[in-house]
């Protein structure tokens, strides 16, 4: 059974080729998934959500991640 691990900022930037400023700007406007707070000083992105964005970066939206009965 595969686990859905959390990816840290440096790896997200590497995988997406986005700058840090662009990444946070896209989070603000809803065109990139927001990070999950893991502890007081740590956050990360679920690997499956990041992969979903990488598969379709132009048309990704937070609403696209909702289950069909909630969208």
């Amino acid at each position: 059974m595969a686990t859905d691990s959390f990816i840290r900022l440096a790896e997200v930037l590497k995988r997406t080729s986005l700058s840090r400023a662009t990444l946070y700007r896209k989070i603000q406007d809803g065109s990139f998934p927001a990070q999950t707070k893991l502890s007081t000083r740590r956050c990360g992105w679920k690997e499956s959500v990041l992969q979903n964005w990488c598969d379709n970066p132009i048309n990704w939206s937070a609403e696209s991640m909702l289950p069909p009965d909630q969208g």
Side-chain angles (χ1 to χ4, degrees):
M1 183 170 156
T3 60
D4 195 8
S5 59
F6 284 93
I7 307 298
R8 300 285 308 279
L9 177 62
E11 183 66 20
V12 171
L13 297 176
K14 181 179 172 184
R15 289 188 189 189
T16 62
S17 298
L18 297 173
S19 71
R20 183 181 177 122
T22 299
L23 176 81
Y24 285 112
R25 188 171 39 254
K26 291 177 83 53
I27 291 170
Q28 285 296 110
D29 72 16
S31 62
F32 193 87
Q35 65 274 41
T36 301
K37 190 165 181 82
L38 303 173
S39 69
T40 305
R41 299 181 63 187
R42 298 281 185 223
C43 67
W45 285 261
K46 287 187 92 172
E47 190 162 13
S48 61
V49 175
L50 180 60
Q51 186 59 50
N52 184 280
W53 183 89
C54 288
D55 290 343
N56 190 8
I58 300 300
N59 295 318
W60 189 93
S61 69
E63 291 80 30
S64 70
M65 294 303 296
L66 293 174
D69 61 335
Q70 293 182 13

